[in-house]
Amino acid sequence: MTQTPPWWQSAVFYQIYPRSFADSDADGIGDLGGVRDKMGYLELLGVDALWLCPVMRSPQADGGYDVADPRDIDALFGGLAAMDALVAEAHERDIKVTMDLVPNHTSVEHPWFVAALNAAPGSPERARYYFRDGRGANGVEPPNNWPSIFGGPAWTRVTEADGTPGQWYLHIFAPEQPDLNWTNPEVGADFEKTLRFWLDRGIDGFRIDVAHGMAKPDGLPDMASVETKMLVHDDDDPRFNNPGVHEIHRKLRRVFDDYPHAVSIGEVWVDDNARFGEYVRPDELHLAFNFRLAETPFEAEAVRSAIDNSLDAVANVGAPPTWTLSNHDIEREVTRYGGGKVGVARARAMMMVELALPGAVFIYNGAELGLPNVDDLPESALRDPVWERSGHTERGRDGCRVPLPWEGKTPPFGFTTGEPWLPIPAEWADRTVEAQLETLHSTLSLYRLAIDLRARRHEFSGDHIEWYGSPTGALAFRRPGGLICVLNTADEPIHLPPGNLLLASAPLVDDRLPADAAAWLV
């Protein structure tokens, strides 16, 4: 008897940045009620599962990734009842719901950290975090030279109860995000409690934030080279990818094994394929984000190399690959591929490439509308902590987080009846959901059709690909089920291989595939 593969193995996940999706209470900030209001749209789009960025209780110093209570929903997003209602409605429509969890750090407003500040050096309360004495005379220097991902040092000095300058605490990200010490068994026990809390409420899995970051090296040694970027593949960075992280994931997997329907998805920035594959061994994570396609220029050879690399990274451990072109932390693909009509054409083509590949696909909200980054937001509107932490030298990630346009001719395009938390460009009038649903050849219509074909057609079966011969500047591969995908990154139209055209991202020109386009054949 053939065993049915798990639902997540080839699922299309739709990433929702809740602040920017839809607002149901007129405060200008998207919420879970807004997501629930748009559930019909998500069903129409055809996605299998949602991935919700953080909605737990948080002071929002870093868009919710600073969690004060991981077992509650922030009132900003509608509270716990709104989450329960959303999960129930999604399940009625046969859509799974996964959510972000943040195991690497907490908020400074988490009860544990508040207790740590009120406790003495060496206390059990401080042992849940990384509190250390400073270096130099009177401890005025940080304990090591690590930088924060968001700029500045990765250490902040506290004032002790008696008013004197005291110890320092570690925060790989913002000062409002103190790192948890996973060598303390209380930390793992509490995280298991969090996992079971949500799984028992019907959540179908989690995207684990910074899944390569929870384990720190013994002694917290200095970095040989003090550099930092948002998140990059750097296997020599002692802040990440330490061997101890794998025992943490094994412990978490034992929890997931009690919930066979659920999936764990790790955010893993690791360059070496053998080390990447370790995260998705059968007793660790189910899936791990691979960002190769999102980092690859629109060039056939580079795309082919990224695909091969991504497949190789999981082949030895038998895990499904994952594919994504954008998320809430990186520039949108339309802008990366050149912007304007060219950027949209190339983004449409690359969507067809990723949906043709075996494995799980993650679509960032707004990609299906062909939205570009908004790189000209006024400085007064910027909210990303990167802007302040960098001394106003890095604008941060707000440009890919601008709210979605739903309907109408003028901003805020039905996103809210209030003032949106980030301004929406007036030139998005032709990119609204309403406008694109009424247009057969819109980017949204192409996404809907591509997702539907991927779900229905047997030609998309098989867990590997075979490369076809193709002209310079193009690539072509075949799935075992019979699907052929062709991408043209050259300047001129190309002839297609034999087969019946199933779908193309742009109209053919004299039976040839134009530049900046992709096609599926069977």
Side-chain angles (χ1 to χ4, degrees), residues 36 112 175 208 259 367 375 377 453 499:
R36 188 181 175 199
W112 276 8
I208 308 237
Y259 301 84
D375 294 327
L377 289 168
L453 290 170

Coordinates of all heavy atoms in Angstrom, one line a residue, residues 36 112 175 208 259 367 375 377 453 499:
R36 N -9.1 37.1 8.1 CA -10.3 36.2 8.0 C -11.3 36.8 7.0 O -11.9 36.1 6.2 CB -11.0 36.2 9.4 CG -12.1 35.2 9.5 CD -12.7 35.2 10.8 NE -13.9 34.4 10.9 CZ -14.9 34.5 11.8 NH1 -14.7 35.3 12.8 NH2 -15.9 33.7 11.7
W112 N 10.2 37.0 32.1 CA 11.5 36.4 32.4 C 12.6 37.5 32.4 O 13.4 37.6 33.3 CB 11.9 35.3 31.4 CG 11.3 34.0 31.7 CD1 10.4 33.6 32.7 CD2 11.7 32.8 31.1 NE1 10.2 32.3 32.7 CE2 10.9 31.7 31.7 CE3 12.5 32.4 30.0 CZ2 11.0 30.4 31.3 CZ3 12.6 31.1 29.6 CH2 11.9 30.1 30.2
P175 N 18.3 45.7 20.8 CA 18.5 45.7 22.3 C 17.2 45.2 23.0 O 17.2 44.7 24.1 CB 18.8 47.1 22.6 CG 19.4 47.7 21.4 CD 18.7 47.0 20.3
I208 N 10.1 28.5 12.1 CA 10.9 28.8 13.3 C 12.0 29.8 12.9 O 12.8 29.6 12.1 CB 11.6 27.5 13.7 CG1 10.6 26.4 13.9 CG2 12.5 27.7 14.9 CD1 10.4 25.7 15.1
Y259 N 2.3 15.2 17.0 CA 1.3 15.9 16.2 C 1.6 15.6 14.8 O 2.2 16.4 14.1 CB 1.3 17.4 16.5 CG 1.0 17.7 17.9 CD1 2.0 17.8 18.9 CD2 -0.3 18.1 18.4 CE1 1.8 18.1 20.2 CE2 -0.5 18.4 19.7 CZ 0.5 18.4 20.6 OH 0.3 18.8 21.9
A367 N 3.2 39.4 -3.9 CA 4.0 38.9 -5.1 C 3.0 38.6 -6.2 O 3.3 38.8 -7.4 CB 4.8 37.7 -4.7
D375 N 10.7 52.1 -2.6 CA 12.0 52.6 -2.1 C 12.1 54.1 -1.9 O 13.1 54.6 -1.5 CB 13.1 52.2 -3.1 CG 13.3 50.7 -3.2 OD1 13.1 50.0 -2.2 OD2 13.6 50.2 -4.3
L377 N 9.8 55.7 0.2 CA 9.0 56.1 1.4 C 9.7 57.3 2.1 O 10.9 57.4 2.2 CB 9.0 54.9 2.4 CG 8.1 53.7 2.0 CD1 8.4 52.6 2.9 CD2 6.6 54.1 2.0
L453 N -3.1 24.6 -11.9 CA -2.5 23.5 -12.7 C -1.6 22.7 -11.9 O -1.5 21.4 -12.1 CB -1.8 24.1 -13.9 CG -2.7 24.8 -15.0 CD1 -1.9 25.6 -16.0 CD2 -3.6 23.7 -15.7
G499 N 6.1 19.5 -27.6 CA 5.1 19.4 -26.5 C 4.0 20.3 -26.7 O 4.0 21.3 -27.6

